[in-house]
Amino acid sequence: MSHFGRSGPPDIRDTYSLLVLNITFRTTADDLFPLFDKYGEVVDVFIPRDRRTGDSRGFAFVRYKYADEAQKAVEKLDGRNVDGREIRVQFAKYGPNAERIHKGRIVEEVPRTSDRSRSRSPRPRYRDREYKRRSRSRSRSRSRGRHERDRYHDRERDYRRSRSSRSPSVSPDYRRHSGRGKYDDERRSRSRSYSSGSPIRRSPSPKRSSSPHSTPRKGSADEKNHEPSSHSRSVSP
DNA sequence: GTTGAGCGTT
C-alpha cells in the first residue's frame, strides 16, 4: 500500500497534484503518505530521484482525489515541520508530459478529435519558438548544476561528431588548434619534471588493495606470491 | 557524510 511511484502514474484523469518543496533529502514517499493522507484521499505520492545516484531531489508530488482536500492539505501541511525542516506545499503548475494542469487540476485538453485524420503539417515556426525558449538560461540549481553540465558536454560531443562526419577532411590548422595546443603546453611543462623530477612520477598505485576483508597484516598471500621469486632471488650488490 | 531553488515517473 505504499509502493507509489513504482509503476508509473496510476491514473491522472481527475486528480489534483500538489508539489511539496523544502523537504529533506531523506524523506521518502512513505513518510509523506500518512501525513498527507490524513487530510484527504491521496491517490499517489511520487518523489523524483536522480537517475544516476538515485537520491531524492528534495521535493515530492502528492496527488489528491479531490480539490477541497488538496487545498486543505496545502493550508494545513504548508509550513509543517517534517524531519526537522519546514515543507512547502503548493499546487503543481507544470506537468511531466503534455498534461494540461490548471490550478493543480489536470485537464486533458483534446480539442482535435480528428487529429489523426489530419495530415501531418510541418511547422518550422513553432519549432523555432520552442528552440528559443529552450535556449533560454537554464540556471536552476547550483549544487546539481554540474550534472547538467555533463549533459551539455554530451551534446557538444555529438555536435562535434556530426561536424566531423560532415567534413571527412579536417584542416591541419583545426587540428593544431584543437586541444593539442594545451596539451603541448602541459607536456612541455612536464618535460621539465622529467629532467629534474623522477622519471616514474605517474606510476600506478603501488597500494593495490589486495583484499579489503583480508587481514591488513603482512599479507601471507603477498609472501606466497613472492615465494617463488624469493627462491630464485639472488642478491646482486 | 556534503547541498536547498525548484516542478514529476512507465
Side-chain angles (χ1 to χ4, degrees), chain A residues 171-221:
Chain A
S171 293
D173 199 32
Y174 177 79
R175 221 165 80 182
R176 198 163 63 121
H177 213 73
S178 171
R180 231 229 145 145
K182 216 158 149 198
Y183 201 85
D184 196 31
D185 237 24
E186 233 179 49
R187 212 174 69 140
R188 204 150 51 155
S189 196
R190 201 161 286 234
S191 187
R192 225 158 32 151
S193 249
Y194 266 109
S195 82
S196 126
S198 40
I200 315 174
R201 172 97 147 223
R202 265 284 186 200
S203 97
S205 299
K207 263 217 223 160
R208 251 317 180 219
S209 33
S210 17
S211 281
H213 54 278
S214 199
T215 55
R217 236 177 251 279
K218 291 228 162 147
S220 55

Side-chain angles (χ1 to χ4, degrees), chain A residues 60-91:
Chain A
F61 288 97
V62 181
R63 278 211 275 263
Y64 274 93
K65 190 66 177 62
Y66 303 102
D68 56 341
E69 293 178 343
Q71 181 67 29
K72 194 168 66 178
V74 170
E75 289 190 32
K76 297 292 181 193
L77 293 176
D78 184 36
R80 181 64 64 93
N81 190 282
V82 177
D83 203 18
R85 202 160 178 106
E86 279 191 355
I87 63 174
R88 303 263 80 169
V89 184
Q90 54 193 255
F91 282 94

Side-chain angles (χ1 to χ4, degrees), chain A residues 152-182:
Chain A
Y152 203 81
H153 197 77
D154 224 27
R155 246 176 61 157
E156 215 176 63
R157 183 174 64 83
D158 210 31
Y159 176 73
R160 232 214 236 150
R161 198 163 71 94
S162 190
R163 212 147 163 262
S164 194
S165 194
R166 193 178 279 206
S167 302
S169 277
V170 186
S171 293
D173 199 32
Y174 177 79
R175 221 165 80 182
R176 198 163 63 121
H177 213 73
S178 171
R180 231 229 145 145
K182 216 158 149 198

